Every structure is written in C-alpha cells, then in structure tokens.
Amino acid sequence: MIEFPRGTHVLFVCNAGINRSSMACAVFKAKMSAFKFDCKVEYAALYSAFAGVTPADMWRGVPVARDYNLREYRSRFIGQDGVYNERTLFFGMDEHVVDGIRGYPRIDEVRVRLFNPPNGVFDPQSAQTREAFAACFTQIHTGVDKLIASLDMQ
C-alpha cells in the first residue's frame, strides 16, 4: 500500500506531457473527485521543449477518451521551479521516464514509481493512429484503477 494522506501531490510524468501523462492526470483526477478525496493531481514532461504544449489532438478521436476534457491542459517541464516538492509522489509512464525522474535533485527514489506496473504505458506518439491512442487509453485506465487500489487513503 502507498501511504496517501489527503492533500497529497501526485505528478504523472512522460517524455513530452502531451499523450500519456496528461490523460493519466485527467482520469486519476476524475476518479479521485468521485471518491471526494482531496489531492493535487498534475502532470509534467521530462523534456523542456514541450513546456506549454497542449495534449495531442488524437485523443479526441478515441470515443472513451472524450469524457476527459484536456483542452485547458498545458504541459510543464519537470525541471521548472515549483513543479514538485519533497512530498510529491511521481508516477513515470515507462522505465525510461522513471530513470529520468530519478535524475532530478531533491527527489527521494521511494517516491518515484512506475505507473501501471509491470510494463508501464505504451507511447502512442510514434504510431499516431486512433488504435494506438485507444490502446494507450486502456492501459491508462487500467493503471489508474491499479493505483487507486494500492492507495492507503487516510
């Protein structure tokens, strides 16, 4: 179980913050809101070049993903001041991202976890197809359910 007191800051991280972490953030935020559990849920990118970029338009082509409005979302760079603090829980979308998160200062390794273990979440960016985004959404939805089941909500 992951100790998860009210007010916990959760940060989903992927390479660019425009595909996987933005949708994971939206799905987790919606489910935690349904539980009426107060926590801060955000997402970020490993690569600074994507700061300020909106999530991929391809999400609008996935019918089940349309329930999550990503239009106001903007990616932030994980290295930017104020994106995380010493109590943030980090969830990397794949092992490469997890390794990248661990490379930042002031991050305790025990607060960094792979999202949707054991394999993480497939990055649909290279395929750029509706099917790839649909498969990614299924992995994200499954990962959020696994994550919530692992939380010791206090």
Side-chain angles (χ1 to χ4, degrees), residues 37-94:
F37 192 87
D38 178 41
C39 57
K40 183 177 180 182
V41 185
E42 298 181 304
Y43 71 101
L46 279 183
Y47 303 122
S48 61
F50 292 93
V53 176
T54 58
D57 287 338
M58 193 64 87
W59 283 121
R60 286 185 259 172
V62 179
V64 293
R66 290 185 197 138
D67 292 340
Y68 304 94
N69 184 358
L70 303 177
R71 289 194 179 137
E72 294 181 23
Y73 282 39
R74 300 288 180 275
S75 184
R76 295 189 310 157
F77 170 50
I78 191 172
Q80 187 178 332
D81 286 342
V83 172
Y84 65 88
N85 61 52
E86 67 281 346
R87 294 181 35 163
T88 300
L89 284 176
F90 300 86
F91 293 94
M93 295 293 126
D94 58 41

Side-chain angles (χ1 to χ4, degrees), residues 23-43:
M23 184 56 76
C25 175
V27 173
F28 185 76
K29 192 181 285 189
K31 289 196 175 211
M32 294 307 284
S33 178
F35 282 123
K36 298 189 183 333
F37 192 87
D38 178 41
C39 57
K40 183 177 180 182
V41 185
E42 298 181 304
Y43 71 101

Side-chain angles (χ1 to χ4, degrees), residues 13 56 94 137 145:
V13 183
D94 58 41
F137 181 84
D145 288 344

